[in-house]
Every structure is written in C-alpha cells, then in structure tokens.
C-alpha cells in the first residue's frame, strides 16, 4: 500500500473510530412547539446525535474532495468510472434511493428538519446523502486497492474502545457519569454549565455512546462478526488474543444492554455462517463440533448468569400478553361526545337512555380546565376502569382533547392495521407498527421527508398512546428500519435499498459458499457480510440512526470491494498487501 494512498482511509477512520465517540451536549430548537402533541418548550438538549450528524456531513464533504483525487492517482484502473460500469445495477439502486431522499425532503412539511435532521434523530437528507457517499466511496476507491491489515486495525481500534467502555458501564463505572465524562458532555454548550445531568437508564445498563441500549444490539450485530473474523486474520498470537478480548467485551456489552434484537440478530448471522460453511464443515467435523459446543456453552452461560434477561427475551418474543383496552376510541358529533368500549357506544353528554353495563365502572366528571394559554373552558374528565383517563374541553360548539401539555386537539378516527390484540408485542412495537402500516400506501412514490416520521405518525392518537403507556411522549421512529425508510423517503426508495442489499447478498452467498480455503480477504469479506446481515436483521426491530448507520454503509461498500478481491485475485496477492 503506497503511503499516499493512506489518505483514503481517513473517512473510514472518522466514521468507524472518531465520530461514534462524540458525546457532546447541544441545545437546539425542536420546531415542534406548535404541535398539540408536544410541549410549549421550543428548546431541548441533545447529547448523542447532533454533533455526530454534523461530523458525518463534514466527512461527506471530505469524500467529495477525495473521489476525484482517487480517480486521478489510480488512472491505470480508472477506478470510479470502470467500477461504476461494472456495478451498474448498484449505481442505479443508489441513484433511486438518493432521488427518493431529495424529492421527499423538498416536498416535506418542515424542510429545515428534513435536510438537517431534528428532534431525537438528526438524520436528515444531508446525513442520508452522506451515507450514500460513504457507500460509493468505499466500494469504488477500494475496489482495486485495499489493505486488509489497515482495515482490521481500524475495526479493532474502534470496537476495542467501545468494548472497553461497555465493560465499564456493565460494571457500574460509566465514564459519562464521571467528572471527566460530564465535563466532556458540557464542553461546547454554555447552557449546560449549571445543569446536573440525568440518565434515562440505570447504572449497569450498557448504552455505549449510542443514545439507546437497543442500538448497542445493532452495533454488536454489525461489528462482532468482523471482529471474530479478525481472530483468524492475525498470524501472531497477540493479534488473536486482542481480537478475542474485544469480541468478549462486545458480548459483555450486548448482555449489559439487554437488547433482545441484538441476541436474535447475532443468532441469525451464526446460522448463515453455518449454512455458508457446510462444505468446509463436512471436511472439518471436529472443528465444527468445537465451534458449535462453544456457541452452546456461551448461550448456556448467559442463561445461567442472567436468567432474568433470558426470561425477559423469551416472554418478549414468544409470550406477548393480549391487550384488553377498556376504551377503544372517542367520537364527536356536534356538541355530543361518545366513548366506545367492547364495541359498544355511550353518549357521555346528553344521554337519555340507561347506560350499558359495559360503562357502569366508568367515571365521568365535569371540570373547569385552564389550558396552556391560561384560558378557561368547561369540560369532561373520563376515567376508565383500567385507570386510563382523558380530558376534553368544549370549544366552539364541539368537544376536543385537552392534551397533557394544555393544548387543544380534535377528536379523530385513527387508522390501524394488525396487532389488534398484541399491541404490546416487542416492547409495544405492535402498537407502533399497527399505526405505521396504514401510512405506507400514502407514501408510495415519495416519503414524508427525512426525520418526518413524527409528523406522519398519528402522535395525536391519544387513546392508543394512553392505552400503551405513551402518554405525553412523542414517537419519532417506528422501531423498524424498513418502515422508517418507507414512510420517510418513500416505498420506492425502500425497494431500491432492499434491491441494493439483495444484489450484495446473492453475490456473497454464491461467493462464500464455494470458498474452501480462507485467506485474509476471505476472512474480511465473510466477516463484513455476516456483520451487515446481522445489522439488516436488527433493522426489523431497530431504526437507522446516526450512531450506527454510517458504519454499516462503510462496511457495506467495503463488502462489495472485498468480494471483488476474493473473486478476482489470488490469496497471496491479497495477503501481501
């Protein structure tokens, strides 16, 4: 590898090592204070996402400078042009996805949020475009010239720091709760100077630098297979020991995160690994039994050491209790207000008949309410037998919801699909998905806009939100990466993304199923493939986030480049780089 070409690894170092470590506070305008389902406060604080998003955009700018330079110094390969021609289907899918991002952003409700990102996400159009630049950069620049040794050095450095941080968090020694950690968080935001920081997760819960323990699952599913493949890459014993310790640290972090999605995703990757290596396993039965025994032993050790988490995971997936919501919906007609329960309706005000026995335990009480603007209104408080309650005010001849923020909102019928009796499935994902599925046909050709899930999703579903313990919260993501893409940048863009990965998936299956003797490129390529597959599996229950997604897009692009090396070059040529 020529020294001048080391410059091309700068974006990889920034994305994989540096940017994930940014945990710095930022006060910002949410742009949501005019929404009935959000508070009157215009400003909020972010600690994990804002500066990562800005750094990703800046890295995208660096890539735009490096791409033409890379084309110039690699003229013998005509890197960018020739690689694009050889991978025309990939370029077309990427272009369609990009088009969906741009159109959805331009036509969005709030273009500032759409382009720059917003509340609890900061994954706007500029960041999404940055992902695609990282992807194209990774597979074009390194298509002909790739150092496996530098790649593993970057991966192990990044994963090693995360694993160390995770182990300390698991042992109740969270760096960010320490004086140096809080000083780092407050370093660039004067408004935080005299504010005592609070943490949403208890001591011992692992979240790394990723905002939410769920994303520790996505990160581990993505990185662990690559780190494990590094064990086989290094010839020296210290390299194997280092990679092994990092792998153990990531597993400890995953256990501490309690991310069921992470466990399941890694299981999927392991099954895929076994399928791909069936020809090798047949000839190495002893080694295969040792590997299988190690996996079973690790799983058994986990169940013994953390039986509560194991049972939690089992119940979360296989034993979701049915929901028995007392209130199904409210309805208004002129100056009348109706409540529905067990498919029966009661007129709350002006009812002249005898209430059905279904409503005997309901409590309806007239109230005088003061809203967020200090205006007083007559209204009704509804208390259901299950303890859930709602407030209504009478304004301009009709009843309206009075939100927990003292704002008025209309009573509307909310569409839903599926999970009718299992809205608590997957930590209440059933509820979110049941309200998201009806949105998808609406956004067939273009989406609501990046970071616009919160505008598209019925956050004004006050009955559903109350019944599922989301009262006063704002749902900014569907906890499903594929639904997230479909709603925010359009179903067509989702198809483009799926086609993009499907091409890589099929090529990788056909390539690695035939591999019998592994060299450094084969180890790297298989590790990347299993890691990205694990990330895609995690996407069934987790979202795209600036904390993990850029690493995925880099590895995705590198996976295509390494597959080319495995297919076209001999093992020695790859190992000697």
């Amino acid at each position: 590898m020529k020294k001048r070409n080391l410059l091309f690894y700068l974006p990889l170092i920034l994305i994989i090592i540096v940017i994930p470590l940014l945990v710095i506070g930022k006060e910002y305008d949410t742009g949501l204070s005019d929404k009935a389902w959000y508070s009157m406060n215009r400003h909020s604080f972010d600690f994990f996402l804002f500066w990562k998003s800005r750094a990703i955009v800046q890295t995208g700018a660096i890539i735009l400078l490096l791409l033409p330079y890379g084309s110039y110094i690699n003229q013998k390969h005509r890197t960018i042009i020739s690689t694009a021609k050889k991978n025309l289907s990939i370029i077309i899918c990427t272009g369609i996805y990009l088009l969906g991002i741009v159109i959805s952003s331009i036509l969005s409700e709030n273009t500032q949020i759409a382009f720059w990102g917003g509340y609890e996400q900061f994954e706007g159009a500029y960041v999404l475009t940055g992902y695609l630049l990282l992807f194209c950069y990774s597979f074009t620049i390194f298509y002909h010239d790739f150092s496996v040794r530098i790649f593993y050095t970057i991966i192990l450095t990044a994963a090693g720091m995360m694993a160390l941080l995770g182990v300390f968090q698991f042992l109740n020694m969270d760096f960010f709760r320490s004086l140096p950690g809080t000083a780092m968080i407050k370093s660039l935001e004067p408004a935080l100077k005299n504010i005592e920081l609070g943490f949403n997760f208890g001591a011992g819960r692992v979240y790394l630098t990723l905002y939410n323990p769920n994303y520790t699952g996505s990160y581990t599913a993505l990185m662990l297979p690559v780190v494990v493949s590094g064990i086989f890459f290094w010839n020296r014993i210290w390299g194997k020991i280092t990679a092994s310790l990092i792998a153990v640290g990531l597993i400890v972090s995953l256990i501490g995160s309690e991310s069921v999605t992470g466990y399941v995703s890694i299981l999927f990757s392991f099954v895929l690994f076994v399928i791909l290596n069936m020809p090798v396993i047949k000839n190495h039965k002893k080694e295969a039994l040792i590997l299988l025994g190690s996996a079973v032993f690790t799983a058994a050790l986990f169940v013994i050491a953390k039986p509560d988490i194991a049972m939690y995971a089992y119940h979360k997936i296989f034993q979701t209790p049915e929901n028995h919501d007392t209130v199904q919906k409210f309805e208004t007609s002129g100056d009348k207000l109706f409540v529905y329960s067990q498919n029966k309706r009661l007129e709350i005000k002006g009812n002249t008949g005898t209430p059905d026995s279904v409503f005997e335990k309901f409590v309806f009480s007239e109230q005088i309410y003061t809203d967020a603007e200090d205006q007083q209104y007559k209204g009704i408080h509804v208390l259901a037998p299950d303890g859930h309650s709602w407030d209504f005010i009478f304004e301009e001849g009709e009843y309206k919801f009075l939100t927990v923020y003292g704002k008025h909102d209309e009573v509307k019928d909310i569409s839903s699909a599926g999970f009718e009796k299992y809205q608590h499935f997957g930590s209440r994902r059933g509820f979110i998905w049941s309200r998201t599925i009806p949105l998808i046909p609406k956004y067939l050709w273009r989406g609501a806009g990046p970071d616009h899930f919160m505008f598209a999703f019925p956050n004004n579903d006050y009955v559903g939100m109350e019944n599922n313990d989301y009262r006063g919260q704002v749902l900014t993501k569907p906890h499903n990466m594929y639904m997230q893409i479909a709603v925010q940048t359009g179903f067509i863009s989702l198809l483009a993304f799926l086609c993009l990965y499907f091409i890589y998936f099929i090529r990788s299956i056909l390539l690695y199923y035939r591999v019998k003797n592994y060299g450094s490129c084969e180890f790297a390529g298989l590790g990347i493939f299993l890691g990205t597959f694990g990330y895609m599996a995690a996407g069934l229950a987790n979202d795209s986030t600036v904390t993990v997604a850029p690493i995925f897009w880099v590895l995705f692009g590198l996976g295509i480049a390494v597959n080319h090396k495995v297919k076209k070059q001999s093992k020695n040529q790859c190992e000697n780089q």
Side-chain angles (χ1 to χ4, degrees), residues 371-568:
D371 67 5
E373 297 180 352
D374 292 327
Q375 299 295 316
Q376 289 192 334
Y377 296 88
K378 290 182 179 181
I380 294 177
H381 176 74
V382 178
L383 176 62
D386 58 7
H388 294 299
S389 64
W390 294 266
D391 295 297
F392 298 88
I393 61 170
F394 192 70
E395 180 189 28
E396 297 178 351
E398 64 177 348
Y399 281 97
K400 294 182 179 180
F401 280 111
L402 183 68
T403 72
V404 294
Y405 301 112
K407 297 181 179 182
H408 315 175
D409 207 353
E410 295 180 357
V411 178
K412 293 183 177 180
D413 190 29
I414 305 298
S415 298
S416 64
F419 300 95
E420 182 178 354
K421 294 183 179 180
Y422 299 98
Q423 298 202 351
H424 289 269
F425 171 78
S427 297
R428 298 174 292 174
R429 282 172 172 81
F431 163 68
I432 300 173
W433 294 346
S434 72
R435 273 37 174 194
T436 303
I437 292 171
L439 299 176
I440 295 176
K442 179 181 178 181
Y443 298 110
L444 182 62
W445 301 104
R446 71 170 182 87
D451 278 8
H452 270 56
F453 180 81
M454 58 187 167
F455 297 119
F457 184 84
N459 274 298
N460 61 343
D461 179 9
Y462 301 110
V463 174
M465 299 285 274
E466 172 71 20
N467 285 335
N468 289 279
D469 300 321
Y470 282 117
R471 183 185 182 96
Q473 298 184 45
V474 178
L475 294 177
T476 61
K477 50 190 178 290
H479 293 283
N480 181 293
M481 179 174 67
Y482 307 102
M483 291 185 184
Q484 181 186 30
I485 294 172
V487 172
Q488 295 193 151
T489 56
F491 185 73
I492 297 301
S493 71
L494 171 62
L495 291 180
F497 171 67
L498 291 175
C499 288
L500 190 62
Y501 191 79
F502 182 74
I503 294 169
Y504 170 63
F505 180 84
I506 294 299
R507 289 180 180 178
S508 298
I509 289 288
L510 295 176
L511 181 63
Y512 294 107
Y513 189 78
R514 296 168 181 165
V515 172
K516 296 181 179 179
N517 297 308
Y518 278 85
S520 58
C521 270
E522 286 82 2
F523 284 130
L526 181 61
I528 291 171
F529 176 46
L530 294 176
T532 57
F533 178 75
Y535 176 86
M536 294 290 282
L540 293 170
N542 283 347
D543 310 275
S544 175
T545 169
V546 295
T547 59
V548 184
I551 303 173
F552 162 76
W553 283 100
V554 167
L555 292 181
F556 187 9
L558 288 176
I560 295 173
V562 176
N563 282 1
H564 172 72
K565 300 285 284 185
V566 172
K567 186 176 181 180
K568 295 295 183 181

Side-chain angles (χ1 to χ4, degrees), residues 36 65 236 269 337 361 379 471-472 493:
L65 296 175
R236 296 183 179 180
S269 294
L337 177 64
K361 295 183 179 181
R471 183 185 182 96
S493 71

Side-chain angles (χ1 to χ4, degrees), residues 251 270 287-301:
I251 293 172
F270 182 76
E287 292 84 351
L289 287 174
I290 293 174
L291 180 63
L292 179 61
S294 300
V296 172
F297 175 76
T298 302
L301 191 64

Side-chain angles (χ1 to χ4, degrees), residues 163-174 203-206 252 256:
L164 188 64
L165 183 62
V167 169
F168 276 107
Q169 288 179 347
F170 183 76
L171 297 175
N172 296 339
M173 293 185 287
D174 186 0
R205 188 84 182 273
V206 178
V252 170

Side-chain angles (χ1 to χ4, degrees), residues 146-289:
F146 178 73
S147 169
V148 181
R149 184 173 297 275
I150 293 176
F151 166 71
Y152 274 118
T153 301
I154 293 172
I155 289 293
L156 294 183
T157 300
M161 289 190 290
M162 283 293 195
L164 188 64
L165 183 62
V167 169
F168 276 107
Q169 288 179 347
F170 183 76
L171 297 175
N172 296 339
M173 293 185 287
D174 186 0
F175 169 74
F176 297 111
R177 298 174 193 259
S178 67
L179 288 177
T182 54
M184 171 183 165
I185 292 172
K186 296 180 178 182
S187 60
L188 298 181
E189 184 51 69
L192 290 170
K193 183 178 180 181
N194 298 316
I195 295 178
E196 183 177 351
L197 299 179
F199 292 81
N200 293 331
F201 307 104
R205 188 84 182 273
V206 178
Y207 60 92
L208 301 178
T209 63
L210 308 177
Y211 176 66
N212 189 302
N214 287 334
Y215 299 143
T216 301
S218 295
Y219 182 86
T220 307
L222 178 62
M223 295 291 279
L224 184 61
V226 186
V227 172
V228 171
S229 70
I231 298 174
F232 300 94
F233 164 73
W234 297 104
N235 293 320
R236 296 183 179 180
I237 188 64
W238 66 265
K240 294 182 180 294
I241 293 174
T242 300
S244 299
L245 290 175
I246 292 172
V248 171
L250 288 177
I251 293 172
V252 170
S253 299
L254 177 62
I255 293 172
S257 72
E258 302 177 15
S259 172
V260 177
T261 301
Y263 308 149
V264 175
S265 300
I266 290 175
L267 177 61
F268 284 172
S269 294
F270 182 76
V271 171
L272 180 61
F273 167 78
V274 172
I275 293 172
L276 287 175
N277 287 274
M278 285 303 296
V280 179
I281 290 173
K282 289 179 181 178
N283 298 322
H284 298 82
K285 294 181 180 179
K286 183 178 179 180
E287 292 84 351
L289 287 174

